[in-house]
Amino acid sequence: MQQPGEHQCETMNHAHIRVLLLEDNPGDADRVSLALKKANGNYVVEWATRLSDAVQQLEERDFDVVLADLTLPDCHGLQAVTRLRDEVPDMPVVVLTSISNDKVAIESLSQGAQDYLVKDDFTADTLERSIRYAIHRGQLRSQTEALLEEVQQSKKLLEKKNRHLARLYKMAQRFVDNVSHEFRTPLTVIKEYAALMRERIVGPTNDEQDRMLAVVEDRADDLNIMVDDMLDVSKLEAGMLAVRRTPCAVADIVHHIHVGMERKAEVKGVSLEVAVGEDLPTVYCDFEKAGRIIVNLVVNAIKFCRDPGIVRLWAEEDPDAGEVIVGVTDNGPGIDDAKQAELFRRFKQLGNQERGSTKGFGLGLNIARELVDLNFGRMRVESELGKGSTFSFSLPVADPTSVMDRYLARIAHVENGGAMTSLIAVDVEGPLDPSVSDEIDDFLAHVLRKNDLVFRADEAGWLLVVPVEGHDLAAFLT
């Protein structure tokens, strides 16, 4: 048997429409046949007096539409419509009855009839129009159902693929974590042995050997940075990157990473200038992550500056904004305005690399911006073609009110304003040894989520600020 839609399209195009008339009154049947003969279309009408006979004919032959009475010898009322819809769901059905009742008409349409005509009211034109509209609506319905079925199948396939991709993504994350951790031991050994040789602990070396050993240390540092970047990406995706924000001195952060940056600049033949005063106000941030931001920006500047290269690391206070701005300026080729939007995309590296012997994974600037965000700051880039670029970021001054304002603004953004913020005071009885307080700081840094905040009130007191839904607070505290 042909598909209903195929046969209907063919008959409509050739004005040849097969009608099954379900009517037990011969006079009414003749009237319908005569009306269709007068119509413009070429109609072929077959007649059934019982619903069972109609169902059998529909199984044996193709029809385009059924005209069904509601009063038949083997059924009454809407049974004819419901039975036809059950037996031949794609067949258009037009009710043609003597029952002039709006409620019955609405129920007929709700049960699947395409139209409802009263015998005393119809004309040849209205009958033909009803039949053609019913066939057309039936075609549209069949097409819609086919499309919905296709969408459902596509949805199931997409969900299956997404589950598979999620599994692959988790496997890739575990692989990256494992490989990154495995890298650390040989990298540490390489750096230590190179340092011992360059410092002549195990014997004399000449200038060329010292230069080569410095390159080895520099490349080991590059790999170390890449490992840190990959681990941070994995932890950020999993929501497991611990954040320990405390009052910090910017000068101490720079001093902590200065030796490694100085060595890298020396190996690359770049002049590294540092202008970070001791008189800057204390900032509130994660000491290690703030250092990572600076390292990534300095490494990026060294990589792209000209020959001879000049990189300047600086910091200044912005008292109006209640923050300290840390910046790295290079004398590189500059960055086109159109490309600046791509700078912070993960795994994206721009071309025209003048000092391009060292390639990474394109994670440095993306990770740097993520870490700046975790420290309630903002990252900026200013660049002029032919003159160089400046990457800078802000760190809030260690003022609880200012930090809290930034925290609430960030939470409103990342949580779409849908979370409540709860304050939890933690006090430990008795005086604590400073080492115990530091251990508690470490513990809180690793158990709190990245969007939580902790203030150290004193040696034995902490204030926790957590965004939670109302019903989640009890669960959080248990």
Side-chain angles (χ1 to χ4, degrees):
M1 180 181 289
Q2 288 179 303
Q3 293 296 320
E6 296 175 357
H7 182 73
Q8 289 160 4
C9 289
E10 179 184 348
T11 54
M12 289 285 285
N13 291 337
H14 293 82
H16 182 80
I17 301 175
R18 295 178 61 85
V19 179
L20 178 58
L21 176 61
L22 181 52
E23 173 62 66
D24 65 330
N25 187 313
D28 290 337
D30 290 341
R31 183 183 170 207
V32 170
S33 299
L34 181 60
L36 291 178
K37 286 182 180 179
K38 294 180 179 180
N40 295 327
N42 184 12
Y43 292 92
V44 177
V45 181
E46 297 195 27
W47 183 23
T49 59
R50 302 174 66 86
L51 178 60
S52 56
D53 295 338
V55 171
Q56 183 176 352
Q57 291 187 52
L58 288 169
E59 292 176 350
E60 295 174 351
R61 294 187 295 280
D62 291 335
F63 290 92
D64 298 302
V65 66
V66 175
L67 301 179
D69 191 9
L70 296 182
T71 305
L72 298 166
D74 56 347
C75 70
H76 184 75
L78 297 179
Q79 293 177 357
V81 177
T82 56
R83 175 78 183 280
L84 288 169
R85 299 305 301 165
D86 291 340
E87 296 289 342
V88 193
D90 293 330
M91 181 61 61
V93 176
V94 175
V95 172
L96 183 60
T97 179
S98 59
I99 302 174
S100 179
N101 186 299
D102 290 341
K103 182 178 179 181
V104 176
I106 292 173
E107 290 179 354
S108 298
L109 297 175
S110 67
Q111 292 298 323
Q114 295 289 347
D115 205 350
Y116 187 95
L117 299 178
V118 179
K119 293 179 180 179
D120 292 339
D121 297 336
F122 83 85
T123 64
D125 290 340
T126 59
L127 181 60
E128 181 186 29
R129 184 163 54 249
S130 178
I131 289 173
R132 290 188 176 274
Y133 286 174
I135 293 173
H136 183 63
R137 285 193 293 268
Q139 292 174 351
L140 292 178
R141 177 176 176 176
S142 297
Q143 293 170 3
T144 301
E145 290 176 349
L147 288 173
L148 287 175
E149 178 65 22
E150 184 178 343
V151 169
Q152 289 297 325
Q153 293 299 325
S154 299
K155 180 182 177 183
K156 291 179 181 178
L157 180 61
L158 183 60
E159 289 174 347
K160 182 179 179 180
K161 289 182 177 180
N162 284 340
R163 289 193 295 269
H164 181 62
L165 288 174
R167 289 194 296 270
L168 291 178
Y169 182 72
K170 289 181 179 179
M171 290 173 59
Q173 274 191 317
R174 287 196 295 270
F175 175 78
V176 169
D177 290 347
N178 293 336
V179 170
S180 300
H181 283 296
E182 292 297 328
F183 273 179
R184 288 198 180 278
T185 299
L187 281 176
T188 301
V189 172
I190 292 171
K191 287 186 63 176
E192 289 180 351
Y193 274 47
L196 289 172
M197 295 172 66
R198 195 159 64 91
E199 293 169 6
R200 297 176 173 84
I201 302 296
V202 294
T205 57
N206 58 41
D207 292 341
E208 181 62 16
Q209 290 171 332
D210 287 342
R211 186 190 68 79
M212 290 181 177
L213 289 171
V215 172
V216 170
E217 286 188 84
D218 178 62
R219 291 297 185 265
D221 284 338
D222 289 338
L223 282 174
N224 221 16
I225 291 172
M226 293 180 196
V227 168
D228 287 338
D229 286 344
M230 287 190 294
L231 283 173
D232 281 350
V233 167
S234 181
K235 291 176 182 178
L236 279 167
E237 294 288 348
M240 297 174 60
L241 186 62
V243 184
R244 181 179 177 179
R245 306 181 188 92
T246 58
C248 303
V250 176
D252 290 344
I253 298 172
V254 173
H255 178 74
H256 181 70
I257 52 96
H258 181 259
V259 174
M261 294 300 94
E262 196 60 71
R263 183 175 62 246
K264 178 171 285 295
E266 181 181 352
V267 170
K268 299 292 186 182
V270 173
S271 173
L272 178 62
E273 303 173 359
V274 179
V276 179
E278 299 283 347
D279 57 343
L280 291 169
T282 302
V283 295
Y284 195 79
C285 67
D286 184 305
F287 184 94
E288 185 271 334
K289 290 177 177 55
R292 285 283 315 283
I293 298 167
I294 297 173
V295 167
N296 279 355
L297 294 184
V298 171
V299 168
N300 189 71
I302 291 174
K303 185 189 301 184
F304 289 98
C305 65
R306 296 185 178 184
D307 191 6
I310 301 174
V311 174
R312 182 171 180 268
L313 169 61
W314 52 271
E316 60 186 27
E317 180 185 4
D318 184 350
D320 294 333
E323 61 189 16
V324 171
I325 307 297
V326 181
V328 176
T329 302
D330 63 60
N331 67 334
I335 305 166
D336 186 87
D337 290 344
K339 292 185 177 180
Q340 289 186 21
E342 302 179 23
L343 283 171
F344 300 99
R345 287 170 51 193
R346 191 172 296 174
F347 306 115
K348 181 68 178 179
Q349 289 186 323
L350 301 184
N352 301 324
Q353 208 171 304
E354 296 197 2
R355 292 179 175 266
S357 59
T358 302
K359 274 188 170 289
F361 295 128
L363 294 173
L365 290 178
N366 177 271
I367 291 296
R369 186 174 64 173
E370 296 274 5
L371 297 181
V372 168
D373 181 62
L374 287 177
N375 281 300
F376 311 139
R378 295 179 298 277
M379 180 168 279
R380 303 179 182 89
V381 56
E382 299 175 10
S383 187
E384 186 175 351
L385 290 176
K387 293 189 176 181
S389 305
T390 294
F391 289 82
S392 62
F393 67 97
S394 59
L395 294 172
V397 172
D399 171 63
T401 301
S402 176
V403 172
M404 193 65 176
D405 287 342
R406 289 171 180 255
Y407 169 78
L408 293 176
R410 182 178 186 275
I411 290 302
H413 175 69
V414 298
E415 300 286 348
N416 294 321
M420 296 187 300
T421 302
S422 299
L423 303 180
I424 304 170
V426 178
D427 291 304
V428 180
E429 294 184 1
L432 290 181
D433 186 90
S435 63
V436 176
S437 297
D438 291 340
E439 289 179 2
I440 294 177
D441 282 336
D442 290 334
F443 170 76
L444 291 175
H446 287 85
V447 299
L448 294 181
R449 301 161 299 182
K450 67 178 183 179
N451 290 330
D452 298 336
L453 178 64
V454 56
F455 285 107
R456 178 97 167 256
D458 50 45
E459 291 299 324
W462 290 262
L463 178 64
L464 310 183
V465 189
V466 294
V468 291
E469 299 292 343
H471 59 276
D472 290 338
L473 182 58
F476 177 84
L477 293 175
T478 56

